[in-house]
Amino acid sequence: MNCSLWLRSLVLIAVSTSFLQAADPVVADPLDWPFWRGPEMNGISREKNLPSSWEPDGENMLWKSAELGTRSTPIVMRGKLYTLCRHKPATLEEAEKVVCADAETGEVLWENIFNVFLSDVPDTRVGWSNVVGDPETGNVVALGVCGLFQCMNGETGETLWSRSLSEEYGLLTTYGGRTNMPVVFENLAIISGVIIGWGDQARPEHRILAFDKRNGQLVWSQGTKPLPEDTTYSSPIITTVGGQTQFIIGTGDGGVYSYQPRTGKHIWKYNVSMRGLNTGPVAMGNMIICGHSEENIDDTKMGALFAIDASKSGDLTKAGEVWKLKEEFIGKTQPIIVGDRIYSIDDSGNFFVNDLATGKVIGKQKLGTMGRGSPIYADGKFYCTDANGRWYIFEAAEKGLKKIHQLRLDAEINGSPIISHGRIYLPTDTFMYCIGAKNAKPEADPIPPMEAETPVTRDEKPGQALIIPAEGLLRPGQKQQFQVLLYNANGQYLGEADAAKVKFSLDGKGSIDETGKFASDAEAVQNAVMVNAEIDGAKATARVRVIPDFPWKYTFDEGRVPVTGVGLRYRHIVIDFDKYRELKASDYLASKLYIYLHTQFTNIPAPVAKYDDTTATQSWTNLKRYLEIVEKVVTQDQAKETLDGPLQKMQDMGLIKSWKWTGDEEIGPRLEVEKNPAYKIAGNGVMCKITTIPKGTRSQGWLGHPDSANYEIQADVFADAQKVSANADPNSRTPDIGLTCSRYRFDMMGASQQLKLYSWIPHDQKYFDKPFAWKPDEWYRMKFRVTIQEREGQPVALLQGKAWKRDDPEPPEWSIEWTDSPANTNGSPGLFGNAKDAEIFIDNVIVTPLDSAN
């Protein structure tokens, strides 16, 4: 095998490749299991003399712990077991936690408990990700379901640094619970997910984020293809192919991607599915094996197991495909490669054996009905499970597999078994089981050497540069020291650049000196700055948001969604609200066209927008669907008759320069609309949450610093009225509108006619609501504050919300109040909306510190 996390760490630490200071050599324990798929990242252990059978309350049962019951896969490092778990399930105090236990006895040593906030992940899916250990430092890194990414001291559980990936970068969490797994490589802690960020990263992408494991600073960020179909949990691997180290991962856009792990430089991609990939890849030599259970890109067949030649570069969809076996649904578990065979469990609980060279099926065993946990291999045996509590041990056979043991547990198994120091650990939702022979002396064969990287001495010419940190969040007047790191074309670290030779420059306000020290502008306004560095032809750019302390006010009259807002720009536009209402009253179709075209021109910089059905995006049909003219308009003549009038109004108001119809009988209607680059909002600028992006209509965005506290947020909100059928509830298409304060949300809910306060969105206890009648097509004002109090030594959050018609006097009493403990004591102010059925309009967003609020 050429993919060894432990061996990689041991070798690289010993040769001191730290990019800021030399690290002392560390001898890692080869029997540790610091990554959920083991020290080689492939589900294989080299240990011997492991059990061939066991019983939950008898044979080879060393201990079991209800405290460690989880859906996550644990790790073992330095004599300790680490895993993610639910904390106080199904209570008002429910949270997520990283738990550390004695690996020999199961005794809990410490817990790091953290709230789940502003996430759509249900409580039963807490612990979806897996902890990763750092063999060099003994620290552990974990991603919670709400996007809290943190590094903890492995001995004490103390949080050394943390990043709120949702508030800072726009990480998307969903009801499905799919949460990615981190890896540690050299001085980097790398994580990924679907990101809806700010600036040039405002469009959704599956994005990989690499942080300095010592301080949490972002080192590099790299996206895949915009607008991924899914969130996913494909676990990445790090391997060396042809002398080049690669970070390989399946992504939400249906591809497998490879990057240089130190720099984020793209190496290759392989597109395979219409939907996201959840299966983790595995490496054998130059070959990468992976799978999926969704629709293939080249036909309607579902699922595939496939092999990629990772020695190539570029688009490998055709050029790098070794073989692909369709209709094998390896969609959730990572395969194992042993010898010349691939062993994998499909989504329906079938254990397949395939030929490595050709993909041909050699054998198959039925395990159960749901494949969730990945198998492991050690001591000539395969240990595997299905999600409904079935456990199996197999040996390899000439025509597939030979079953030597099985049992049934009264439990759900979503995690995977692991092996460390002669013990097998099996996570279930009720217990963590530790299996092994008492007093056994651990024994293992050596881990096979991995392929070596090309020696850095063969290319010491700088070919790439990174500017660190790659992203910053400052207050006006604050300073940030930047460093420029140099790498060769192979992605190997060469050293820190001599600042005297670096040419620094800025796009935006502020200043930077010759040493790379950036000083943000002292004016108390939001702004975004690009920090550029160039040395010997190598270029790098870092991004900085500068956001002042409160008070703030956004009126949107300048015609722009705040550039520093996370998760806002792609899903919102600013329109002339008075003009929109005038159009809606006189020409409904023109009002819809105004929003649609203005969205297109705002989000896509092309000077001409084309709408036809010649591609899979079906842009003409999508336009007709939004305009509600699908049945009315079929031919181009019908389209001209219907839309020329509204288009003329768009030209008259200055939004477009011209339009023309260029379709024919072969391609059908085609509309080409030229943008007027001089168009500006001349009247009452209002931010509009649009319905034109189906997967972005229900979303949240953040405006400030995650450490913000003791403030109040207020906004004017307006829900567009929509037609409903005669028998439907008149409120059924009224949207939900919300404000975020200190990681809590205050919602004015349309269909249910309620006010609601909550922190964890789908939790069945962590919320409070009450009836509140309100109507679309009227302006309302919402106000929300969170005050932190203390009760019996615990922080308690007092949540208070008001909503009233904007033209009426403010009511003296709060409309709704609720207390939550343990409290979220800080968090960025933000906005929420569910514009699935109707546009939402937002104006006059005001954030005020509580010491000056009314």
Side-chain angles (χ1 to χ4, degrees):
M1 298 293 175
N2 67 348
C3 182
S4 169
L5 178 65
W6 165 77
L7 193 56
R8 164 76 60 197
S9 299
L10 180 59
V11 172
L12 291 171
I13 293 164
V15 298
S16 301
T17 59
S18 168
F19 54 63
L20 293 184
Q21 62 182 24
D24 294 329
V26 173
V27 178
D29 188 334
L31 301 187
D32 277 354
W33 193 273
F35 183 67
W36 78 282
R37 293 303 283 156
E40 299 175 66
M41 295 181 130
N42 59 7
I44 292 177
S45 169
R46 304 297 168 176
E47 296 201 36
K48 300 187 290 186
N49 304 320
L50 296 170
S52 297
S53 61
W54 69 285
E55 293 296 331
D57 294 302
E59 178 193 15
N60 290 324
M61 182 74 250
L62 295 177
W63 56 260
K64 65 179 181 180
S65 170
E67 290 181 276
L68 299 173
T70 181
R71 68 177 298 125
S72 183
T73 299
I75 65 167
V76 172
M77 183 176 65
R78 300 188 181 187
K80 297 177 177 63
L81 178 144
Y82 303 90
T83 194
L84 283 158
C85 295
R86 294 174 69 180
H87 177 69
K88 295 187 177 181
T91 70
L92 281 168
E93 297 180 77
E94 179 158 9
E96 190 169 11
K97 61 186 176 183
V98 174
V99 183
C100 171
D102 186 300
E104 184 175 356
T105 66
E107 177 189 1
V108 172
L109 302 176
W110 56 256
E111 297 178 337
N112 184 304
I113 303 164
F114 48 96
N115 282 350
V116 177
F117 57 88
L118 299 179
S119 172
D120 287 323
V121 176
D123 53 5
T124 54
R125 296 182 180 183
V126 163
W128 191 290
S129 183
N130 304 309
V131 174
V132 64
D134 176 20
E136 177 192 1
T137 62
N139 296 335
V140 292
V141 177
L143 176 66
V145 293
C146 68
L148 186 65
F149 189 49
Q150 57 180 330
C151 176
M152 290 149 281
N153 183 299
E155 290 294 322
T156 66
E158 174 192 5
T159 297
L160 302 176
W161 56 261
S162 66
R163 289 291 185 190
S164 178
L165 298 187
S166 57
E167 295 172 291
E168 295 182 68
Y169 301 95
L171 179 76
L172 178 65
T173 68
T174 65
Y175 190 82
R178 290 168 291 197
T179 310
N180 290 87
M181 289 78 163
V183 298
V184 171
F185 174 75
E186 297 182 5
N187 281 329
L188 299 175
I190 308 175
I191 190 62
S192 79
V194 174
I195 299 289
I196 306 102
W198 64 275
D200 61 354
Q201 296 177 15
R203 297 181 78 192
E205 285 185 300
H206 192 123
R207 185 164 286 277
I208 296 96
L209 305 173
F211 295 91
D212 188 324
K213 72 181 184 184
R214 298 161 299 182
N215 54 31
Q217 287 188 333
L218 186 67
V219 175
W220 60 261
S221 168
Q222 186 63 260
T224 59
K225 186 169 61 178
L227 310 181
E229 189 68 22
D230 295 298
T231 57
T232 57
Y233 55 94
S234 171
S235 179
I237 60 170
I238 295 173
T239 189
T240 302
V241 178
Q244 180 175 220
T245 300
Q246 302 187 24
F247 170 96
I248 302 172
I249 188 171
T251 61
D253 56 39
V256 181
Y257 286 77
S258 172
Y259 301 93
Q260 292 179 350
R262 301 182 188 94
T263 67
K265 179 183 177 182
H266 178 264
I267 301 173
W268 56 260
K269 67 177 179 180
Y270 174 83
N271 296 317
V272 65
S273 176
M274 303 294 290
R275 303 291 301 268
L277 269 62
N278 294 309
T279 305
V282 65
M284 171 63 81
N286 292 350
M287 195 177 293
I288 303 300
I289 304 296
C290 196
H292 74 92
S293 56
E294 302 292 345
E295 187 175 333
N296 289 284
I297 60 171
D298 53 352
D299 59 30
T300 58
K301 291 182 179 179
M302 302 288 288
L305 183 70
F306 53 90
I308 309 165
D309 182 355
S311 67
K312 300 180 179 181
S313 60
D315 188 343
L316 303 189
T317 305
K318 293 182 178 180
E321 183 176 286
V322 180
W323 53 258
K324 179 165 60 179
L325 180 66
K326 295 181 180 178
E327 298 184 318
E328 195 163 305
F329 297 84
I330 313 301
K332 295 179 172 64
T333 68
Q334 186 193 50
I336 292 176
I337 301 173
V338 179
D340 59 359
R341 294 184 177 185
I342 305 166
Y343 299 83
S344 55
I345 299 172
D346 77 358
D347 294 0
S348 298
N350 297 298
F351 197 179
F352 280 89
V353 183
N354 297 77
D355 181 77
L356 176 62
T358 65
K360 180 181 176 181
V361 176
I362 296 171
K364 181 175 76 171
Q365 283 271 358
K366 184 68 174 175
L367 301 182
T369 58
M370 295 172 62
R372 294 296 182 268
S374 298
I376 56 173
Y377 177 78
D379 195 25
K381 297 181 281 286
F382 296 92
Y383 300 90
C384 50
T385 64
D386 97 322
N388 293 315
R390 296 178 178 91
W391 161 275
Y392 296 90
I393 303 177
F394 292 95
E395 292 177 343
E398 181 180 351
K399 294 186 177 181
L401 296 160
K402 176 185 176 183
K403 182 168 61 181
I404 63 172
H405 181 250
Q406 74 177 85
L407 56 81
R408 182 76 180 265
L409 300 170
D410 184 17
E412 185 176 298
I413 307 173
N414 290 288
S416 305
I418 70 168
I419 296 170
S420 180
H421 293 83
R423 309 180 194 100
I424 302 168
Y425 298 90
L426 173 64
T428 76
D429 67 334
T430 55
F431 292 98
M432 179 78 70
Y433 294 92
C434 180
I435 305 156
K438 291 183 179 179
N439 303 316
K441 184 178 181 181
E443 185 179 354
D445 290 328
I447 294 176
M450 61 183 176
E451 180 181 341
E453 274 191 301
T454 300
V456 67
T457 52
R458 293 189 183 177
D459 181 9
E460 297 183 300
K461 177 183 177 181
Q464 304 177 67
L466 295 179
I467 183 168
I468 311 298
E471 188 155 315
L473 177 56
L474 303 176
R475 291 174 167 85
Q478 287 186 332
K479 297 180 179 181
Q480 174 69 59
Q481 179 66 57
F482 286 95
Q483 296 169 302
V484 177
L485 310 179
L486 300 177
Y487 301 82
N488 63 15
N490 206 38
Q492 294 164 298
Y493 178 64
L494 299 177
E496 184 177 346
D498 182 351
K501 297 180 180 179
V502 178
K503 180 182 177 181
F504 291 102
S505 63
L506 300 178
D507 295 322
K509 295 182 178 180
S511 62
I512 191 165
D513 67 17
E514 66 278 2
T515 70
K517 182 176 287 187
F518 167 73
S520 61
D521 190 80
E523 185 181 2
V525 295
Q526 288 91 345
N527 64 85
V529 183
M530 302 296 111
V531 181
N532 308 303
E534 182 175 357
I535 178 171
D536 296 332
K539 299 179 180 180
T541 299
R543 310 188 321 154
V544 179
R545 288 184 296 151
V546 181
I547 301 177
D549 289 323
F550 314 129
W552 304 340
K553 184 173 183 179
Y554 290 106
T555 66
F556 307 108
D557 288 336
E558 73 284 359
R560 296 188 302 275
V561 176
V563 66
T564 54
V566 171
L568 291 177
R569 278 211 158 183
Y570 178 70
R571 291 167 168 177
H572 298 76
I573 59 173
V574 174
I575 67 166
D576 183 329
F577 184 75
D578 295 339
K579 185 64 178 178
Y580 170 75
R581 296 296 291 174
E582 176 189 323
L583 287 171
K584 189 172 183 181
S586 62
D587 188 339
Y588 177 75
L589 199 55
S591 70
K592 298 277 284 185
L593 194 61
Y594 174 35
I595 288 180
Y596 201 91
L597 291 177
H598 193 30
T599 298
Q600 173 88 12
F601 295 144
T602 300
N603 286 338
I604 300 175
V608 176
K610 292 184 180 181
Y611 301 98
D612 61 38
D613 284 344
T614 61
T615 66
T617 58
Q618 298 284 288
S619 59
W620 171 245
T621 294
N622 289 335
L623 173 62
K624 290 198 301 177
R625 188 177 294 119
Y626 180 78
L627 298 178
E628 303 171 21
I629 58 172
V630 172
E631 295 180 0
K632 181 180 179 181
V633 172
V634 178
T635 68
Q636 184 157 286
D637 287 341
Q638 291 172 329
K640 293 174 65 176
E641 181 181 355
T642 303
L643 294 180
D644 275 351
L647 284 164
Q648 182 64 56
K649 291 182 179 180
M650 299 301 99
Q651 187 180 59
D652 293 345
M653 66 185 287
L655 179 66
I656 67 174
K657 290 182 69 175
S658 64
W659 78 94
K660 58 183 177 180
W661 299 94
T662 58
D664 55 38
E665 290 185 2
E666 182 178 350
I667 68 170
R670 173 185 284 160
L671 172 63
E672 298 184 28
V673 185
E674 184 180 3
K675 173 183 179 180
N676 179 10
Y679 174 74
K680 292 184 179 180
I681 302 295
N684 177 23
V686 169
M687 190 166 75
C688 172
K689 182 165 179 54
I690 49 183
T691 66
T692 59
I693 304 173
K695 289 202 169 186
T697 53
R698 182 184 181 278
S699 67
Q700 56 191 340
W702 290 269
L703 291 163
H705 294 267
D707 62 359
S708 300
N710 300 311
Y711 62 91
E712 176 181 276
I713 181 170
Q714 173 181 300
D716 297 340
V717 299
F718 183 103
D720 219 14
Q722 296 294 311
K723 301 172 185 177
V724 297
S725 60
N727 299 323
D729 182 337
N731 296 309
S732 61
R733 299 188 70 191
T734 304
D736 301 337
I737 310 173
L739 306 178
T740 297
C741 178
S742 294
R743 297 176 178 171
Y744 292 97
R745 185 185 295 166
F746 172 38
D747 271 5
M748 197 164 74
M749 308 187 78
S752 62
Q753 293 287 283
Q754 289 180 314
L755 298 178
K756 188 170 184 178
L757 296 168
Y758 46 169
S759 60
W760 186 347
I761 312 309
H763 199 279
D764 61 0
Q765 296 188 51
K766 297 180 74 66
Y767 73 93
F768 179 71
D769 58 32
K770 64 185 299 185
F772 181 76
W774 63 286
K775 300 176 182 179
D777 274 2
E778 289 194 42
W779 279 103
Y780 287 80
R781 180 159 290 163
M782 299 179 70
K783 181 180 286 189
F784 182 31
R785 66 167 54 173
V786 176
T787 307
I788 304 302
Q789 305 168 341
E790 189 171 302
R791 183 189 304 158
E792 298 178 357
Q794 280 268 45
V796 177
L798 171 62
L799 283 63
Q800 298 172 302
K802 285 184 186 182
W804 69 97
K805 290 184 179 180
R806 184 175 69 177
D807 294 336
D808 292 348
E810 178 178 347
E813 303 297 326
W814 292 99
S815 306
I816 186 171
E817 296 184 80
W818 178 55
T819 58
D820 180 50
S821 179
N824 298 314
T825 58
N826 58 274
S828 168
L831 303 168
F832 166 78
N834 184 355
K836 175 178 176 292
D837 293 312
E839 266 78 22
I840 295 168
F841 301 94
I842 304 162
D843 201 8
N844 300 316
V845 177
I846 300 173
V847 186
T848 311
L850 285 182
D851 56 12
S852 61
N854 293 331

